[in-house]
Structures are given as C-alpha cells and as structure tokens.
Amino acid sequence: MKILIVDDEIAICELLKSYLEEQPGLTVFSATSGSDAIRCVKEQQGVDLLITDVVMEPIDGFSLRESLIEMLPDMQTVFISGYDLSGHGERVGGNKMLSKPVDQEDLIVEVQEAAARAHALVQLRHKLANPEADSEPEEDSYEEAAAGNTLTANLSHLMQKQGFTGRLDQFQLVDIIQMCCISRRTGRLRVWKGVEKGVLFLNEGRIVHAACGGELGEEAVYKIISWDFGEFSLDEDIQSPQQSISAGWEHVVMEGVRRRDESGETASSKPGESGLIGKTIGDYAIDQKLGEGEWGSVYLAEQLTISRPVALKILRDDLHLNPEAVQKFIADSSAKANVQHPAIVSVYEAGEANGVYFYTREYVDGTTLADLSAAGTEIDQQLALKVIRTVSEALSYLNHTKTPHTPVTATNIFITGQNTPRLANLATVDGDVSVPVQQEIQALSKIVSAALKEGVNASPEVRAMLTKMRTDGAGGYLSWGALIQDVRALEPKVVPQDAYKLSARDEAAVRAVEMEKARQRKSNIINLVGILSLIPLVIIVILWRFSGSPDGKIFDGMIEIPAGEFTYQDGERLDLPTFYIDEFEVSLGMYKRFLDDLPNHPEGAFAHEDMSEGKSHKPAGWDLMLEAALRKNVTYQGAPMDINMPVFNVDWFDAYAYAKWAGRRLPTEQEWEKAARGPNGNLYPWGSEMDAKRANTSIDYSPDPRAEGTVDGWNRWAPVDAHPGDKSHYGVRNMAGNVIEWTATIAPDPNSPTEMLPVLRGGSFESADVLLTRRNIIFIKEKFDPRVGFRTASDTAPPEE
C-alpha cells in the first residue's frame, strides 16, 4: 500500500513517516507542498492513501485532494489539522480526520482501516466481475491493500452466494453502483439508512429506475448517493417494474456526487463525525467534541429547554445498525440513569433522535486521574484522600444497592477544577456484582498509589493506609465502611504542605518578636503593641511571598505607530493614520482582571451585537489553566503555566469584549502588519532573515507537553515578555511567535467565498512559517484554540499614569 504524507512542516512529515515505516506492507512517501505532492504522485504512478495537512499554502489540503482524486478515483484520504474543520464539512466529505498533534496509534488504526476498505473494494469488484465465483480473488491482486491488516477477516460477511450485502460505512455507495454498471449487472439494489429506504433497478449495467422517500428517477438516485452510512443488498435478475431514468449511468452518478459534495450531507449526516458540531440532536445543541469511549464519541452540548450543559454520548455508526448493540446501549443507559449518588456522575436521558442513539450525562468540567498521570502530573496526598473517600462512598452505594458495575479505573475518576473528585457512572446491565470488596479496595489502592507515584511524597499515615488497602485477609480492609471511617479520621491531620511552611514561619516570627522584647526590656505596653503589630505584618509578607501577585505583571503599555505609508503583503503600498497598539499580547493576568471586573458592569456591557445572548467570556479550561498558572507543580494539560503567558482559548467575541472593556479595540490586519513589518517592510519583526532563537515557534515544538524548548526555550506558551528578540522596528513584541492573534478585519473564507470570517495574523508556538505576510482565514468568530490570543489597538494615546 503506497501512502503519501503531505505537510508544510518538515518535522511533522518525518515524524508521521517514522510512525508508519515499520508497519509491514506499507511504502511511505512525503512532500512539504501541494505541488511536490502532485509531482510525487506522478513519479510513483499513483498512491493508495493521502495523509495531508489542511492549512497549507499555496495549495491547501482540500484542493490537493480534489486535484488528485480526478487522477486517482480510488485514493483514500485522511486529513490532519490543528484547527477545527467542522465548518468545512462539505470539503471534508466522508474522509477521516485526525487532530494535531497526531497520535501514533490513531494514525496506524486509520491506515489499517484504509487497507481494510481497499481490500473490501477489491473483493467487491471481483465478485461483481465474477458473479459465479465462490472464491476470493488471488492474494496478489490486492496485496498492497491487505498487507499487514488484521481487519480484513471481519469483512467476510460482504460476500454471499445469493447476491451480496454490506454496510455503507465500509465503502462508498457510489463505488457499488459503478461496479454494478461496469460489470453490466441486472437486478435490484436496495439501500437502508435507519428508517429510510431506497431502491435502484439495473438492466445490463444501466440504471433504469430508482425510488427513495417519495422521489422517483434521477432525484431518487441523488438522494441515495448522498447517504454515507446504512445497509445495502443486491438481488440478482429482478426486472424493473418501470423505467424512470433514460440518461447514462455515468451522468447520473457524477451529478449525484456533485450534489452530495455541495450539500455537505455526507459529513453532517454520519453519526459520530465532527460534522455534528453545531448541529442539534433532539433537545441538545452540540458544541464541541470531548473524546471517545467504548460506545462512541462524547460531545459537550447544551440542553436547550433548560439551558443546561451536558455530556452527550452518541452510539458509533458501526454499532447503531446492530440491534443487539443498540439494545445493550439503551439498557446500560437506563441502568446508569437509575443511579443517584452525589459522588457519581448522573445520567439524564437516553433515546433516539435524528437517526442516532444517544444518552446524556452530567457534564464534569475537569480532567481524569488517568490524564493527569499520563501528563506526568502527580496528585498530592490531600487530593489522594479525597479520591479514596469519593470512590469508596460511590462503590459502597453500588454494592449496597446490588447494582452491577464495571471495575473502577483511573480513566473514570474525574477531577474538577476545584480539585473535587467524581466517579463516572459505572452501572451496567451485565456487570459482576460478586466481586469481593477487598479486591475492589486493592484496585483503588493501586490507582491512587500510581497517581501519587507510589506515595513518595505522602505522609507516613497515608502510606500506611495505602499499604493496608493492598493487604489481603484480616490485615486489610474488609468493608468500604471501615475504609471510609479511616479516611475521614485522617483527612484533618493531613494539611497542605504550604500550611506547614506558613505555620513554621509564623512560629519563627513570634519567637523573633519575643527575643526582641526580652532584649530591649521596654515597657510591657510598648512590647505588647509591637508584638501585635509585627505578627500580622510578618504573616502578610509570608503570604505575599508564597502566593505571589495573582494577576502577574501589568502589560498595558502601548506603542505609537506613526502615520504614513508602509508595505502591505506582496508590495502594495498603503497609508494609515497614527494609531497605538499593545506592546505585548494580552496575558492571562490581564485577562483575569477583565473577568474579575465583569460582575461590576451590566450583563452584556461589552458584548458585540452579533454575539449570542448569555455567552460567557470565560475561556475554555480557564479554571484549570489559572490554577496551573498560580500554583507550583501544577500543569495545564501537562504543560507548565505562568500567569504572564498570553491568554488563549478565547474566541473573537471574547477578544472584542476585552478590548471594549479596556477602552480600546482590536487592530485591523493592516495595522497589525504595519506594526510588525515596520517602515522597511521586514519579513520578520527583526529583519528579513529567519532567526529561530528570537521567537517562540515550532522549531523546537514537541507533542510531549512536558518537553522543554531546546532552541527558543519554550515548547508551548511563553510569557509575553520572554522573547526580547521578537521585537519589531517600532518595539512591538511577539508578532512572529507565541500565539496567533485575532484582528478586527473580516474577509471572505477562501474555501467558501460567501462566508465572512475574521482574519488571524502572526505565528504561534506550533508554526514553522512565521512570515509577517501570513494570513489565516479559517475560524468562525465563535471558535477558540490553544494557539490563538490577541492584542488591542487604539486611535488615541493611552492616558498617562
């Protein structure tokens, strides 16, 4: 199987290539531009699988695929991107998508599934071309498609002696129709998608009649071709009852494909795909994808009738046509809904809507114990005790009510932003209720010990409890009640380490005052006043020293950009009046001041007129990132944080509101470019030659959030004043790297000219191309991203201090 990887960042190409080169049966090529990719395809006489980044210049990934698919109609595609592509469903089509940074296992799975689909298509063509044959095609006829693939065994059900049947999620319906026509088949092709049904009649390879949902003829074919999942069956030698189509099959199929691609129905109708973002399922409006589970994808959604955030789990599309799987999914959902305990995540509703099966549960804003461990973040002993108590109380309840449940793992222990543990709903219809309590307690001990790194930083009392939890027989815990009692007794004794430090320093301060009192031997009244006044002062100093300023440095200085001409983009000369722009990107600390002050103003006081009513300006994950920025040894998604780093995960409306609150506005992209390039039209803030050490870019980016930058010093975000070399002629900082920035300019979407989107300017910690002429028009105003922040501008000089 020949695979072509295309990404304009060489490091990513090489990384993905290394993931696949050890897989048997694969030949992997790479290219760093669309033109190089097309040249490679011609040299290699085609490829079977294209793995391409979407955001590239001058040929984006969508356009590249569309160019190649004309030459290679059987080529499969996997798109990779660091951006949300839900707004481009019509161009994504039915192709797979992976988010950057790309996980090695996810990539290998996608390649295996592509090989499986290729294998299935070869089998299908063989069956259609040899209707009397009972055997499969020779191995060498699809050796590349099937090499090293373990999934092909699951496709044997596709071939039946009487016609053939299958599911449309394994290959495109248009391929089936074309094969039937090419092999001059006669018969009835029936197709189901949920409760919808369609039928096509063929006569010696010509489509003569079709019916679907009240439509007849060509319109019925177009409707069926738009489906991207379902079931089909071909019944041989059944004659059509009438003729409603006279056009050639090539015309009908091509027109159907064109309409399907224009409507984008393929991406939006398939359950579990990113096309669901922004859609409504029943009473639930889907906002963003949270992750994957055993049954399918989990989304953050809003329950519209009561404006409540929920986690919406949707049954995988390869399961929702399986009656047994559907029955168990609904039964498990019902079992979970019957569980009512404050420590256990509640399940609200299960059902079917818009052709998909789902259930909704309480949305927990936080992370899991497994994710913390994977990121290298160890928990402290106070949180460990909370976890033990919470899980013990939850499992005690499940055992007392004789509720079957799956075993507890670190994956289903949530930790909220307030460091409050919650247990996922483990209830199920076929779980084991006979597991001994001591065995479950031992499993919990292993989970907590791993999170504590075997309790190295725990007190002797906590280590003793963990040891007893792992002990068999009478020396261990025989009931949840006994364990809960010991945890509750131990919690008041295990105080935070900072509290120990503060207490010791307080005592030292008191002793120092007493010694001073004894030495001076002044009057008792004077000494008493001195003691009372000195102790609070010492405590205040200590608190300040250990907590630091909660808002970080003040970054509100602005740079004057004088009136006059400047070079814009490819040499165009523009003239701008004098304006002022922030010296630095808006930091977490500065944005915190904005959020802290919002309650002092009427609701919506700084909102843009197009913003949805009731929208919060609190960035996604704000509580977690703020906690990481203010506390030592705490990370955000595995990465270290600092209160002086740029704010991120803010959408365009958030940036607009902050600027209005500050008495300013967002800069236009022309103002941004002039401030960055200076009077000489520099390609980089410091000149016209790239210098990787000056800016926070992807030159030393690593998918591991814990890694440290080896060139510019930072892997993810850097404090906004950390790179003095990333400075323009006028003195504006971080125009090349750190975070991409929102501007006030709204321009047509290059991929959909009728849609207007905000323009983003500059590069980020994940960008290799940080030319100051780079423009990004890819995000809707409501989109946020960890690589995107902003700065503000003004027509007037800021007030003097």
Side-chain angles (χ1 to χ4, degrees), residues 592-601 606 661:
K592 179 179 180 295
R593 287 180 168 86
F594 162 60
L595 292 181
D596 290 346
D597 186 54
L598 274 184
N600 299 322
H601 301 273
F606 309 109
W661 168 81

Side-chain angles (χ1 to χ4, degrees), residues 74 76 94 96 110 112-124 149 151-160 164-176 227-232 270 317-319 321:
D74 290 338
Q76 299 179 67
K96 298 292 185 179
E110 292 299 341
Q112 289 179 335
E113 291 185 356
R117 289 191 293 271
H119 185 132
L121 187 57
V122 170
Q123 288 180 310
L124 176 61
N149 185 13
L151 300 178
T152 56
N154 298 325
L155 301 174
S156 60
H157 71 280
L158 293 175
M159 300 300 153
Q160 307 292 336
F164 57 89
T165 62
R167 289 200 309 267
L168 297 182
D169 58 350
Q170 294 163 323
F171 32 75
Q172 297 288 319
L173 175 59
V174 68
D175 288 327
I176 299 169
W227 297 349
D228 200 38
F229 69 97
E231 295 178 303
F232 69 89
K270 187 175 182 180
D317 50 350
D318 62 327
L319 295 177
L321 294 173

Side-chain angles (χ1 to χ4, degrees), residues 378-453:
E378 62 184 86
I379 64 174
D380 58 33
Q381 59 182 359
Q382 295 77 41
L383 181 54
L385 289 176
K386 288 182 182 179
V387 168
I388 294 173
R389 177 164 54 84
T390 298
V391 175
S392 298
E393 291 172 348
L395 293 182
S396 175
Y397 164 83
L398 294 177
N399 287 337
H400 179 73
T401 57
K402 294 182 172 54
T403 301
H405 56 275
T406 56
V408 64
T409 67
T411 303
N412 44 48
I413 299 175
F414 292 101
I415 307 297
T416 72
Q418 290 73 40
N419 265 4
T420 301
R422 300 289 303 284
L423 182 64
N425 201 315
L426 306 180
T428 181
V429 291
D430 56 5
D432 193 353
V433 294
S434 61
V435 177
V437 169
Q438 194 166 72
Q439 183 176 325
E440 289 190 311
I441 293 176
Q442 290 170 346
L444 177 58
S445 175
K446 293 178 182 178
I447 293 169
V448 175
S449 295
L452 266 171
K453 294 190 175 178

Side-chain angles (χ1 to χ4, degrees), residues 20 64 83 146 181 221 223 236 274 291 402 509 593 632 701:
L20 300 179
L64 173 61
Y83 302 99
C181 295
V221 179
K223 185 176 181 65
E236 301 281 1
S274 63
K402 294 182 172 54
R593 287 180 168 86
K632 295 181 179 179
Y701 173 80

